[in-house]
Structure formats: C-alpha cells, structure tokens
Amino acid sequence: MTQNEKLAELSQAGVSVWLDDLSRDLIATGRLEELIKTRSVVGVTTNPSIFQAALSNGATYAGQISELALRGADVDAAIRAVTTDDVRDACDVFTHVFEETDGVDGRVSIEVDPRLANDTDGTVEQAIELWKIVDRPNLFIKIPATKAGLPAITRVLAEGISVNVTLIFSVERYIEVIEAYLNGLDAAYQAGQDLSKLHSVASFFVSRVDTEIDKRLDAIGTPAAFDLKGKAGLANARLAYAAYQKAFEVETRFPDLAAHGARPQRPLWASTGTKNADYPDTLYVSELVAPNTVNTMPGKTMEAFADHGWVNNLSIIGTEAASRAEFDAIADAGVDLADVFTVLETEGVDKFEQAWNELIAATDEQLAAARA
C-alpha cells in the first residue's frame, strides 16, 4: 500500500489528516488501518450524529446489544458500553501513530453527552468517567465550547485529561477557549500533572458559518452581498489561526508553561464537507493549509481530495488583514455576526442532542427486541 500523493502533500504541509467518522465495521474490516496506510490518516473524530449512524446498523451491534439486554443494562449504559468499546478499539489501531508522533496524533475523540452542554459539573463528571472507561492515553474527550463548557475544559485538563474542544464558531469564543486551555494547564501544573502528556485541539466549524451567512446575504439581496458569499467560513478560520499564533507564538504566557512541558492547543478545522454544490468539494481543505493544524474530514471529502484536491500553502499565513476586511464587509452589508454565532452554537448543540435522542430511541428498541 502507498500513500495518496495529494493527502501526503497536505500532511507534509503541516496539516494532520483526521477522519470524521467511526464505526465497528470500519475497525473490524481493517479499513481504518488501510486509511492510515493509504490516506495519511492520523486520527479520528466522532460525535453523536456519527454514533447514531453507526448504531443504526443493527446487525453489527446485535450480539453486544443482546448480551447487554440479558445483563439488564439500561439504554444509557448500553450506549456507553458500545461507543466506548468502539473508541477504545480505534485508539488501539492508532497506538503506533500515537507513539511515532510523540502523542501529537494517533488520537480518537469521544464526546460527552450533548444534553450536558449547559451543565459544567455534569460535563466534568462524565468526562472523567469516559476517560476511565476507555482507559487509553491517546483519547480526546470532546467538550463543547459553550459558556458552561469553558470552565469544564479547565477542570478536566486539571485532572490530566486531554480535551478536544468542539462547536467553536466565533473567534471571540475561540479566544475564550484558549484562555480556558491555559488556565487548565496552570491548574494541572499546580496539581502535579505531567504537562507533556496533556494535549488539546480546538475544533473550529467552517462550512456551517458559510451556510448561515450565505443565507443572510441572499436575504439582503444586493450585488455587494452576493459578492461576499462563500467567503465567511474561510475568513473566520484564518482569523482563528491568527489568534492561535498570537496566543502560542507571540504572547508570553504560553512559553512559561511550555518550559514545563506544555504543548500548544492546535486549531482543528471541522465541518469541512461543503454544503453548497456551487463550491469546490475540497474548498475547506485546500484553502486551509498551515503548520500545526488538523483537518477532520468526512470520508466523502477525503476521497474527493485524494482525487482532485490541491494544497494552497499560501491560504492562511499572512491573510489576517484581508480576512478581517472581508468580515467587516459582511457586517457592513447588514449581517449581524453576533447573532450568526449565537444561532450556530444553539443549532449545533440542538443537532447533536437530536442525534443523541435518536440514538437512545433506536438502542432502546434494540434492547427491547433482544429481551423479547
């Protein structure tokens, strides 16, 4: 097996290629290991929607569901067992990547119950529980960047647990996430944790920003508004990278922590499948290339990039001023950006909670059938 040249070039440019998908079939068939060998894949992310889709394949999980039903497991316990087993097995597949990259990659993410998005204490409690159940050093616990999630991020890091911060939409919230991460490193150091073992990524959602802002630009309907369509998602991510550079390469707080072994929190580009057919299907990969970043791609987007993607090495570095000007123009056109980001965060939490509720209903039905 040989690596796809286009994805290998992306990896060499400093972008860690992660797959935004996981299922038991993907692990059991050897397909996940094949993606490591042929698609430069060095990590996996999951979310409630991904688990809901995976567990809809009843045949794959029937044996375990039957066993859990016989043991009297309730639906929450069954979901926890099934999902943590898949994540643990995926962590094992990536063990060699984890070791070869000194813990930077080879990571698999699992998310806390989305119903806890506005519950700080509940999020912390479940993050610790998931960390113990999976029991693998290359695990990431995903915590949403809600207002309640920010202190949870700090507290979970203080426990020596690596965190993938998810559902970030605005640069303003991202700056708060960085602060929560640095506070967590401080607390971890005071608690005697080994900072070199703590890692984090900040998952910045890209295509959803374009979807919401494009809709508003269409409603405004002016030629100037139409000219701005498709620019917000990339500009927003590029401004996020500038914030990352400022916090981890310019300001003085992080170097003090780095002297004790701390690692920077890498930006991760999420929601990178294009939702508008008028845009190139590799847009949010090809145009977001910079060192120390992660791009987590749906399988369809990854295969599109492997076939016809391009690597624009000038897509982020040095674009802060131009990206800020594009955002200013969008605001001047009449788009309420603060409202955009509020809507996106609320919808993001709601979508994951809806997927989780669908997962609960389907699993409950499978448990009932197994007990019949």
Side-chain angles (χ1 to χ4, degrees):
M1 294 183 181
T2 58
Q3 293 289 1
N4 174 270
E5 291 183 2
K6 295 181 184 299
L7 286 161
E9 183 185 0
L10 183 67
S11 179
Q12 289 159 9
V15 181
S16 290
V17 177
W18 289 9
L19 175 68
D20 192 27
D21 193 17
L22 184 64
S23 68
R24 192 159 294 182
D25 281 344
L26 195 66
I27 300 166
T29 60
R31 175 61 178 160
L32 186 57
E33 182 64 44
E34 182 182 337
L35 291 172
I36 296 172
K37 295 176 179 177
T38 66
R39 294 294 184 265
S40 298
V41 171
V42 292
V44 161
T45 49
T46 67
N47 60 45
S49 299
I50 287 171
F51 279 133
Q52 190 275 331
L55 269 74
S56 66
N57 182 353
T60 303
Y61 296 92
Q64 185 176 14
I65 293 293
S66 295
E67 180 184 341
L68 289 163
L70 290 173
R71 284 162 40 192
D74 63 18
V75 66
D76 287 331
I79 291 171
R80 186 163 54 249
V82 169
T83 56
T84 55
D85 281 358
D86 279 2
V87 167
R88 185 185 305 107
D89 289 343
C91 282
D92 290 342
V93 172
F94 281 101
T95 296
H96 65 97
V97 177
F98 178 72
E99 293 171 348
E100 290 162 4
T101 62
D102 191 27
V104 173
D105 284 312
R107 297 278 176 171
V108 183
S109 298
I110 188 170
E111 189 156 349
V112 296
D113 186 330
R115 295 172 297 180
L116 299 172
N118 296 307
D119 180 350
T120 301
D121 291 340
T123 294
V124 173
E125 181 180 348
Q126 189 173 97
I128 294 171
E129 179 186 32
L130 290 170
W131 182 261
K132 290 178 178 177
I133 292 172
V134 176
D135 192 27
R136 293 294 185 272
N138 52 331
L139 179 69
F140 266 143
I141 302 297
K142 291 181 78 172
I143 296 175
T146 57
K147 282 294 186 182
L150 295 172
I153 293 160
T154 296
R155 288 168 56 185
V156 170
L157 286 161
E159 295 289 334
I161 297 172
S162 294
V163 175
N164 176 341
V165 184
T166 188
L167 288 178
I168 306 172
F169 295 99
S170 72
V171 175
E172 291 76 16
R173 181 56 56 85
Y174 176 46
I175 291 170
E176 293 180 291
V177 167
I178 293 172
E179 182 75 8
Y181 175 63
L182 296 175
N183 289 342
L185 291 178
D186 277 332
Y189 179 69
Q190 294 300 321
Q193 303 287 355
D194 182 352
L195 296 191
S196 69
K197 304 296 184 185
L198 273 177
H199 288 253
S200 183
V201 292
S203 297
F204 217 85
F205 282 52
V206 185
S207 68
R208 294 189 194 183
V209 172
D210 268 339
T211 299
E212 180 65 24
I213 289 181
D214 282 0
K215 180 176 68 176
R216 298 183 186 216
L217 290 169
D218 278 335
I220 292 167
T222 63
F226 289 142
D227 287 344
L228 292 166
K229 289 181 62 177
K231 295 182 178 180
L234 293 177
N236 201 36
R238 289 163 178 165
L239 289 172
Y241 190 79
Y244 156 79
Q245 288 183 299
K246 181 179 179 182
F248 294 103
E249 298 175 5
V250 177
E251 293 180 345
T252 59
R253 185 178 180 189
F254 178 70
D256 291 340
L257 290 161
H260 298 292
R263 313 290 189 104
Q265 181 188 53
R266 293 187 295 166
L268 179 152
W269 313 129
S271 185
T272 56
T274 51
K275 295 176 174 60
N276 187 330
D278 292 335
Y279 301 158
D281 54 3
T282 69
L283 178 67
Y284 303 121
V285 182
S286 295
E287 296 297 335
L288 289 175
V289 179
N292 301 318
T293 58
V294 180
N295 196 304
T296 182
M297 311 174 206
K300 182 178 179 181
T301 301
M302 183 176 293
E303 290 308 311
F305 191 90
D307 179 66
H308 54 265
W310 69 96
V311 173
N312 181 358
N313 285 295
L314 301 177
S315 58
I316 291 183
I317 304 297
T319 64
E320 180 179 5
S323 296
R324 196 168 302 282
E326 287 178 335
F327 248 64
D328 289 344
I330 290 168
D332 290 343
V335 175
D336 184 341
L337 293 171
D339 184 66
V340 165
F341 296 130
T342 298
V343 167
L344 286 172
E345 181 178 300
T346 302
E347 287 184 351
V349 172
D350 288 346
K351 286 177 182 177
F352 280 169
E353 186 170 340
Q354 179 182 348
W356 197 256
N357 288 331
E358 290 172 0
L359 174 59
I360 288 171
T363 306
D364 200 31
E365 184 178 331
Q366 292 175 32
L367 285 169
R371 293 188 186 108

mmCIF file of all heavy atoms in Angstrom, residues 243-282:
data_model
loop_
_atom_site.group_PDB
_atom_site.id
_atom_site.type_symbol
_atom_site.label_atom_id
_atom_site.label_comp_id
_atom_site.label_asym_id
_atom_site.label_seq_id
_atom_site.Cartn_x
_atom_site.Cartn_y
_atom_site.Cartn_z
ATOM 1 N N ALA A 243 -5.300 34.157 15.737
ATOM 2 C CA ALA A 243 -5.442 34.171 17.195
ATOM 3 C C ALA A 243 -4.593 33.079 17.830
ATOM 4 O O ALA A 243 -3.989 33.289 18.898
ATOM 5 C CB ALA A 243 -6.915 33.983 17.567
ATOM 6 N N TYR A 244 -4.532 31.924 17.178
ATOM 7 C CA TYR A 244 -3.665 30.834 17.656
ATOM 8 C C TYR A 244 -2.202 31.276 17.666
ATOM 9 O O TYR A 244 -1.478 31.076 18.654
ATOM 10 C CB TYR A 244 -3.844 29.612 16.758
ATOM 11 C CG TYR A 244 -2.674 28.665 16.762
ATOM 12 C CD1 TYR A 244 -2.482 27.766 17.807
ATOM 13 C CD2 TYR A 244 -1.738 28.685 15.720
ATOM 14 C CE1 TYR A 244 -1.386 26.899 17.820
ATOM 15 C CE2 TYR A 244 -0.655 27.828 15.726
ATOM 16 C CZ TYR A 244 -0.483 26.944 16.766
ATOM 17 O OH TYR A 244 0.605 26.096 16.778
ATOM 18 N N GLN A 245 -1.757 31.896 16.572
ATOM 19 C CA GLN A 245 -0.369 32.348 16.500
ATOM 20 C C GLN A 245 -0.060 33.374 17.583
ATOM 21 O O GLN A 245 1.012 33.324 18.206
ATOM 22 C CB GLN A 245 -0.088 32.944 15.118
ATOM 23 C CG GLN A 245 -0.011 31.916 13.999
ATOM 24 C CD GLN A 245 0.339 32.565 12.685
ATOM 25 O OE1 GLN A 245 -0.396 33.415 12.184
ATOM 26 N NE2 GLN A 245 1.468 32.173 12.118
ATOM 27 N N LYS A 246 -0.983 34.285 17.815
ATOM 28 C CA LYS A 246 -0.757 35.306 18.831
ATOM 29 C C LYS A 246 -0.618 34.679 20.214
ATOM 30 O O LYS A 246 0.297 35.016 20.983
ATOM 31 C CB LYS A 246 -1.916 36.306 18.818
ATOM 32 C CG LYS A 246 -1.757 37.437 19.832
ATOM 33 C CD LYS A 246 -2.933 38.407 19.753
ATOM 34 C CE LYS A 246 -2.784 39.534 20.778
ATOM 35 N NZ LYS A 246 -3.943 40.468 20.739
ATOM 36 N N ALA A 247 -1.510 33.739 20.530
ATOM 37 C CA ALA A 247 -1.517 33.144 21.869
ATOM 38 C C ALA A 247 -0.333 32.220 22.105
ATOM 39 O O ALA A 247 0.236 32.203 23.213
ATOM 40 C CB ALA A 247 -2.823 32.385 22.084
ATOM 41 N N PHE A 248 0.062 31.465 21.086
ATOM 42 C CA PHE A 248 1.061 30.418 21.307
ATOM 43 C C PHE A 248 2.445 30.726 20.734
ATOM 44 O O PHE A 248 3.411 30.036 21.050
ATOM 45 C CB PHE A 248 0.544 29.088 20.747
ATOM 46 C CG PHE A 248 -0.660 28.581 21.486
ATOM 47 C CD1 PHE A 248 -1.934 28.707 20.951
ATOM 48 C CD2 PHE A 248 -0.522 27.999 22.736
ATOM 49 C CE1 PHE A 248 -3.045 28.253 21.645
ATOM 50 C CE2 PHE A 248 -1.625 27.537 23.437
ATOM 51 C CZ PHE A 248 -2.891 27.673 22.897
ATOM 52 N N GLU A 249 2.526 31.788 19.907
ATOM 53 C CA GLU A 249 3.818 32.107 19.308
ATOM 54 C C GLU A 249 4.304 33.523 19.632
ATOM 55 O O GLU A 249 5.477 33.814 19.419
ATOM 56 C CB GLU A 249 3.733 31.940 17.786
ATOM 57 C CG GLU A 249 3.404 30.510 17.348
ATOM 58 C CD GLU A 249 3.208 30.386 15.842
ATOM 59 O OE1 GLU A 249 3.413 31.398 15.123
ATOM 60 O OE2 GLU A 249 2.832 29.286 15.380
ATOM 61 N N VAL A 250 3.412 34.375 20.146
ATOM 62 C CA VAL A 250 3.785 35.773 20.381
ATOM 63 C C VAL A 250 3.697 36.140 21.857
ATOM 64 O O VAL A 250 4.663 36.663 22.431
ATOM 65 C CB VAL A 250 2.890 36.726 19.549
ATOM 66 C CG1 VAL A 250 3.235 38.182 19.859
ATOM 67 C CG2 VAL A 250 3.044 36.430 18.056
ATOM 68 N N GLU A 251 2.553 35.890 22.464
ATOM 69 C CA GLU A 251 2.351 36.307 23.848
ATOM 70 C C GLU A 251 3.220 35.482 24.809
ATOM 71 O O GLU A 251 3.697 34.388 24.466
ATOM 72 C CB GLU A 251 0.871 36.199 24.214
ATOM 73 C CG GLU A 251 0.026 37.208 23.439
ATOM 74 C CD GLU A 251 -1.452 37.138 23.767
ATOM 75 O OE1 GLU A 251 -1.886 36.132 24.389
ATOM 76 O OE2 GLU A 251 -2.181 38.075 23.396
ATOM 77 N N THR A 252 3.383 35.985 26.005
ATOM 78 C CA THR A 252 4.383 35.418 26.927
ATOM 79 C C THR A 252 3.847 34.338 27.856
ATOM 80 O O THR A 252 4.626 33.616 28.472
ATOM 81 C CB THR A 252 4.987 36.535 27.793
ATOM 82 O OG1 THR A 252 3.933 37.176 28.535
ATOM 83 C CG2 THR A 252 5.695 37.562 26.918
ATOM 84 N N ARG A 253 2.539 34.208 27.972
ATOM 85 C CA ARG A 253 2.016 33.259 28.963
ATOM 86 C C ARG A 253 2.349 31.817 28.607
ATOM 87 O O ARG A 253 2.770 31.037 29.463
ATOM 88 C CB ARG A 253 0.498 33.424 29.114
ATOM 89 C CG ARG A 253 -0.063 32.544 30.226
ATOM 90 C CD ARG A 253 -1.555 32.733 30.407
ATOM 91 N NE ARG A 253 -2.062 31.873 31.466
ATOM 92 C CZ ARG A 253 -3.345 31.701 31.740
ATOM 93 N NH1 ARG A 253 -4.263 32.364 31.052
ATOM 94 N NH2 ARG A 253 -3.717 30.884 32.708
ATOM 95 N N PHE A 254 2.124 31.423 27.349
ATOM 96 C CA PHE A 254 2.343 30.023 26.993
ATOM 97 C C PHE A 254 3.806 29.588 27.117
ATOM 98 O O PHE A 254 4.065 28.470 27.603
ATOM 99 C CB PHE A 254 1.827 29.720 25.582
ATOM 100 C CG PHE A 254 2.093 28.294 25.170
ATOM 101 C CD1 PHE A 254 1.403 27.246 25.753
ATOM 102 C CD2 PHE A 254 3.071 28.003 24.223
ATOM 103 C CE1 PHE A 254 1.670 25.923 25.401
ATOM 104 C CE2 PHE A 254 3.334 26.690 23.870
ATOM 105 C CZ PHE A 254 2.634 25.647 24.453
ATOM 106 N N PRO A 255 4.791 30.403 26.701
ATOM 107 C CA PRO A 255 6.183 29.954 26.856
ATOM 108 C C PRO A 255 6.547 29.563 28.285
ATOM 109 O O PRO A 255 7.340 28.636 28.497
ATOM 110 C CB PRO A 255 6.988 31.162 26.377
ATOM 111 C CG PRO A 255 6.103 31.815 25.373
ATOM 112 C CD PRO A 255 4.717 31.651 25.930
ATOM 113 N N ASP A 256 5.971 30.235 29.270
ATOM 114 C CA ASP A 256 6.227 29.857 30.661
ATOM 115 C C ASP A 256 5.724 28.443 30.944
ATOM 116 O O ASP A 256 6.374 27.665 31.650
ATOM 117 C CB ASP A 256 5.554 30.848 31.613
ATOM 118 C CG ASP A 256 6.209 32.227 31.583
ATOM 119 O OD1 ASP A 256 7.381 32.301 31.141
ATOM 120 O OD2 ASP A 256 5.561 33.198 31.992
ATOM 121 N N LEU A 257 4.558 28.115 30.386
ATOM 122 C CA LEU A 257 4.010 26.770 30.555
ATOM 123 C C LEU A 257 4.784 25.761 29.719
ATOM 124 O O LEU A 257 5.015 24.622 30.148
ATOM 125 C CB LEU A 257 2.533 26.766 30.163
ATOM 126 C CG LEU A 257 1.598 27.517 31.118
ATOM 127 C CD1 LEU A 257 0.280 27.844 30.436
ATOM 128 C CD2 LEU A 257 1.366 26.693 32.375
ATOM 129 N N ALA A 258 5.193 26.180 28.507
ATOM 130 C CA ALA A 258 5.960 25.282 27.639
ATOM 131 C C ALA A 258 7.273 24.875 28.291
ATOM 132 O O ALA A 258 7.779 23.771 28.066
ATOM 133 C CB ALA A 258 6.221 25.951 26.296
ATOM 134 N N ALA A 259 7.827 25.760 29.117
ATOM 135 C CA ALA A 259 9.064 25.433 29.827
ATOM 136 C C ALA A 259 8.877 24.262 30.779
ATOM 137 O O ALA A 259 9.839 23.585 31.152
ATOM 138 C CB ALA A 259 9.550 26.655 30.599
ATOM 139 N N HIS A 260 7.607 23.997 31.138
ATOM 140 C CA HIS A 260 7.282 22.856 31.996
ATOM 141 C C HIS A 260 6.717 21.691 31.185
ATOM 142 O O HIS A 260 6.154 20.755 31.759
ATOM 143 C CB HIS A 260 6.286 23.276 33.073
ATOM 144 C CG HIS A 260 6.806 24.327 34.000
ATOM 145 N ND1 HIS A 260 7.820 24.096 34.911
ATOM 146 C CD2 HIS A 260 6.467 25.633 34.146
ATOM 147 C CE1 HIS A 260 8.074 25.202 35.584
ATOM 148 N NE2 HIS A 260 7.272 26.157 35.134
ATOM 149 N N GLY A 261 6.861 21.760 29.851
ATOM 150 C CA GLY A 261 6.446 20.644 29.002
ATOM 151 C C GLY A 261 5.139 20.810 28.281
ATOM 152 O O GLY A 261 4.716 19.912 27.543
ATOM 153 N N ALA A 262 4.459 21.942 28.452
ATOM 154 C CA ALA A 262 3.141 22.131 27.844
ATOM 155 C C ALA A 262 3.222 22.172 26.319
ATOM 156 O O ALA A 262 4.202 22.637 25.740
ATOM 157 C CB ALA A 262 2.502 23.416 28.359
ATOM 158 N N ARG A 263 2.149 21.695 25.696
ATOM 159 C CA ARG A 263 2.027 21.695 24.230
ATOM 160 C C ARG A 263 0.999 22.745 23.807
ATOM 161 O O ARG A 263 0.033 23.002 24.530
ATOM 162 C CB ARG A 263 1.547 20.325 23.737
ATOM 163 C CG ARG A 263 2.262 19.124 24.335
ATOM 164 C CD ARG A 263 3.695 18.986 23.857
ATOM 165 N NE ARG A 263 4.271 17.720 24.290
ATOM 166 C CZ ARG A 263 4.454 16.661 23.499
ATOM 167 N NH1 ARG A 263 4.114 16.721 22.218
ATOM 168 N NH2 ARG A 263 4.978 15.543 23.966
ATOM 169 N N PRO A 264 1.177 23.344 22.633
ATOM 170 C CA PRO A 264 0.155 24.283 22.144
ATOM 171 C C PRO A 264 -1.140 23.547 21.817
ATOM 172 O O PRO A 264 -1.134 22.360 21.492
ATOM 173 C CB PRO A 264 0.786 24.880 20.886
ATOM 174 C CG PRO A 264 1.798 23.876 20.453
ATOM 175 C CD PRO A 264 2.314 23.219 21.691
ATOM 176 N N GLN A 265 -2.233 24.265 21.912
ATOM 177 C CA GLN A 265 -3.540 23.723 21.536
ATOM 178 C C GLN A 265 -3.743 23.986 20.043
ATOM 179 O O GLN A 265 -3.924 25.120 19.622
ATOM 180 C CB GLN A 265 -4.648 24.401 22.352
ATOM 181 C CG GLN A 265 -6.041 23.896 22.053
ATOM 182 C CD GLN A 265 -7.096 24.751 22.740
ATOM 183 O OE1 GLN A 265 -7.106 25.976 22.593
ATOM 184 N NE2 GLN A 265 -7.990 24.130 23.501
ATOM 185 N N ARG A 266 -3.713 22.934 19.244
ATOM 186 C CA ARG A 266 -3.775 23.122 17.786
ATOM 187 C C ARG A 266 -5.187 23.455 17.300
ATOM 188 O O ARG A 266 -6.171 22.892 17.793
ATOM 189 C CB ARG A 266 -3.305 21.854 17.072
ATOM 190 C CG ARG A 266 -1.835 21.539 17.257
ATOM 191 C CD ARG A 266 -1.409 20.365 16.389
ATOM 192 N NE ARG A 266 -2.067 19.127 16.792
ATOM 193 C CZ ARG A 266 -2.092 18.014 16.052
ATOM 194 N NH1 ARG A 266 -1.520 18.005 14.867
ATOM 195 N NH2 ARG A 266 -2.699 16.935 16.495
ATOM 196 N N PRO A 267 -5.306 24.354 16.318
ATOM 197 C CA PRO A 267 -6.602 24.570 15.674
ATOM 198 C C PRO A 267 -6.976 23.352 14.829
ATOM 199 O O PRO A 267 -6.125 22.768 14.140
ATOM 200 C CB PRO A 267 -6.362 25.790 14.779
ATOM 201 C CG PRO A 267 -5.061 26.378 15.221
ATOM 202 C CD PRO A 267 -4.268 25.245 15.772
ATOM 203 N N LEU A 268 -8.235 22.981 14.895
ATOM 204 C CA LEU A 268 -8.757 21.873 14.096
ATOM 205 C C LEU A 268 -9.906 22.397 13.247
ATOM 206 O O LEU A 268 -10.819 23.039 13.762
ATOM 207 C CB LEU A 268 -9.239 20.750 15.023
ATOM 208 C CG LEU A 268 -9.846 19.497 14.371
ATOM 209 C CD1 LEU A 268 -9.630 18.264 15.257
ATOM 210 C CD2 LEU A 268 -11.362 19.652 14.112
ATOM 211 N N TRP A 269 -9.834 22.146 11.945
ATOM 212 C CA TRP A 269 -10.903 22.572 11.044
ATOM 213 C C TRP A 269 -11.929 21.441 10.968
ATOM 214 O O TRP A 269 -11.638 20.347 10.496
ATOM 215 C CB TRP A 269 -10.366 22.910 9.661
ATOM 216 C CG TRP A 269 -9.140 23.784 9.674
ATOM 217 C CD1 TRP A 269 -7.965 23.572 9.020
ATOM 218 C CD2 TRP A 269 -8.960 25.029 10.382
ATOM 219 N NE1 TRP A 269 -7.071 24.576 9.280
ATOM 220 C CE2 TRP A 269 -7.652 25.494 10.118
ATOM 221 C CE3 TRP A 269 -9.778 25.786 11.230
ATOM 222 C CZ2 TRP A 269 -7.150 26.673 10.652
ATOM 223 C CZ3 TRP A 269 -9.277 26.960 11.772
ATOM 224 C CH2 TRP A 269 -7.988 27.400 11.484
ATOM 225 N N ALA A 270 -13.136 21.715 11.449
ATOM 226 C CA ALA A 270 -14.230 20.746 11.449
ATOM 227 C C ALA A 270 -15.332 21.223 10.514
ATOM 228 O O ALA A 270 -15.309 22.356 10.042
ATOM 229 C CB ALA A 270 -14.782 20.590 12.869
ATOM 230 N N SER A 271 -16.293 20.342 10.245
ATOM 231 C CA SER A 271 -17.373 20.675 9.316
ATOM 232 C C SER A 271 -16.774 21.139 7.992
ATOM 233 O O SER A 271 -17.085 22.205 7.467
ATOM 234 C CB SER A 271 -18.268 21.774 9.909
ATOM 235 O OG SER A 271 -19.381 22.047 9.091
ATOM 236 N N THR A 272 -15.891 20.278 7.449
ATOM 237 C CA THR A 272 -15.149 20.668 6.243
ATOM 238 C C THR A 272 -15.713 20.058 4.955
ATOM 239 O O THR A 272 -15.112 20.222 3.895
ATOM 240 C CB THR A 272 -13.661 20.285 6.379
ATOM 241 O OG1 THR A 272 -13.551 18.890 6.658
ATOM 242 C CG2 THR A 272 -12.995 21.082 7.482
ATOM 243 N N GLY A 273 -16.837 19.382 5.041
ATOM 244 C CA GLY A 273 -17.525 18.975 3.820
ATOM 245 C C GLY A 273 -18.364 20.136 3.322
ATOM 246 O O GLY A 273 -19.102 20.757 4.094
ATOM 247 N N THR A 274 -18.241 20.481 2.058
ATOM 248 C CA THR A 274 -19.000 21.625 1.539
ATOM 249 C C THR A 274 -20.485 21.279 1.466
ATOM 250 O O THR A 274 -20.854 20.174 1.073
ATOM 251 C CB THR A 274 -18.504 22.054 0.151
ATOM 252 O OG1 THR A 274 -18.455 20.913 -0.696
ATOM 253 C CG2 THR A 274 -17.128 22.667 0.237
ATOM 254 N N LYS A 275 -21.316 22.236 1.837
ATOM 255 C CA LYS A 275 -22.766 22.027 1.825
ATOM 256 C C LYS A 275 -23.429 22.751 0.650
ATOM 257 O O LYS A 275 -24.618 22.591 0.417
ATOM 258 C CB LYS A 275 -23.359 22.482 3.155
ATOM 259 C CG LYS A 275 -22.875 21.625 4.333
ATOM 260 C CD LYS A 275 -23.376 22.140 5.668
ATOM 261 C CE LYS A 275 -23.003 21.189 6.801
ATOM 262 N NZ LYS A 275 -21.549 20.992 6.938
ATOM 263 N N ASN A 276 -22.656 23.556 -0.062
ATOM 264 C CA ASN A 276 -23.162 24.269 -1.230
ATOM 265 C C ASN A 276 -22.514 23.660 -2.470
ATOM 266 O O ASN A 276 -21.298 23.688 -2.622
ATOM 267 C CB ASN A 276 -22.814 25.758 -1.119
ATOM 268 C CG ASN A 276 -23.446 26.590 -2.218
ATOM 269 O OD1 ASN A 276 -23.664 26.112 -3.329
ATOM 270 N ND2 ASN A 276 -23.731 27.854 -1.913
ATOM 271 N N ALA A 277 -23.334 23.111 -3.345
ATOM 272 C CA ALA A 277 -22.819 22.424 -4.529
ATOM 273 C C ALA A 277 -22.070 23.362 -5.476
ATOM 274 O O ALA A 277 -21.334 22.902 -6.354
ATOM 275 C CB ALA A 277 -23.966 21.743 -5.281
ATOM 276 N N ASP A 278 -22.255 24.674 -5.307
ATOM 277 C CA ASP A 278 -21.549 25.632 -6.156
ATOM 278 C C ASP A 278 -20.085 25.797 -5.753
ATOM 279 O O ASP A 278 -19.297 26.374 -6.501
ATOM 280 C CB ASP A 278 -22.231 27.005 -6.100
ATOM 281 C CG ASP A 278 -23.600 26.996 -6.741
ATOM 282 O OD1 ASP A 278 -23.844 26.139 -7.615
ATOM 283 O OD2 ASP A 278 -24.448 27.825 -6.348
ATOM 284 N N TYR A 279 -19.714 25.314 -4.567
ATOM 285 C CA TYR A 279 -18.350 25.464 -4.079
ATOM 286 C C TYR A 279 -17.557 24.194 -4.348
ATOM 287 O O TYR A 279 -18.114 23.087 -4.309
ATOM 288 C CB TYR A 279 -18.338 25.756 -2.577
ATOM 289 C CG TYR A 279 -19.079 27.002 -2.163
ATOM 290 C CD1 TYR A 279 -19.533 27.161 -0.860
ATOM 291 C CD2 TYR A 279 -19.333 28.032 -3.077
ATOM 292 C CE1 TYR A 279 -20.212 28.307 -0.472
ATOM 293 C CE2 TYR A 279 -20.007 29.168 -2.702
ATOM 294 C CZ TYR A 279 -20.458 29.306 -1.402
ATOM 295 O OH TYR A 279 -21.140 30.446 -1.031
ATOM 296 N N PRO A 280 -16.262 24.298 -4.613
ATOM 297 C CA PRO A 280 -15.439 23.096 -4.805
ATOM 298 C C PRO A 280 -15.551 22.174 -3.594
ATOM 299 O O PRO A 280 -15.576 22.636 -2.450
ATOM 300 C CB PRO A 280 -14.017 23.659 -4.942
ATOM 301 C CG PRO A 280 -14.206 25.070 -5.393
ATOM 302 C CD PRO A 280 -15.469 25.546 -4.747
ATOM 303 N N ASP A 281 -15.625 20.868 -3.844
ATOM 304 C CA ASP A 281 -15.871 19.944 -2.739
ATOM 305 C C ASP A 281 -14.669 19.749 -1.830
ATOM 306 O O ASP A 281 -14.774 19.101 -0.787
ATOM 307 C CB ASP A 281 -16.377 18.594 -3.255
ATOM 308 C CG ASP A 281 -15.465 17.966 -4.294
ATOM 309 O OD1 ASP A 281 -14.391 18.527 -4.591
ATOM 310 O OD2 ASP A 281 -15.843 16.896 -4.829
ATOM 311 N N THR A 282 -13.521 20.325 -2.186
ATOM 312 C CA THR A 282 -12.361 20.263 -1.293
ATOM 313 C C THR A 282 -11.985 21.661 -0.771
ATOM 314 O O THR A 282 -10.901 21.851 -0.230
ATOM 315 C CB THR A 282 -11.142 19.652 -2.000
ATOM 316 O OG1 THR A 282 -10.668 20.542 -3.014
ATOM 317 C CG2 THR A 282 -11.475 18.295 -2.609
#
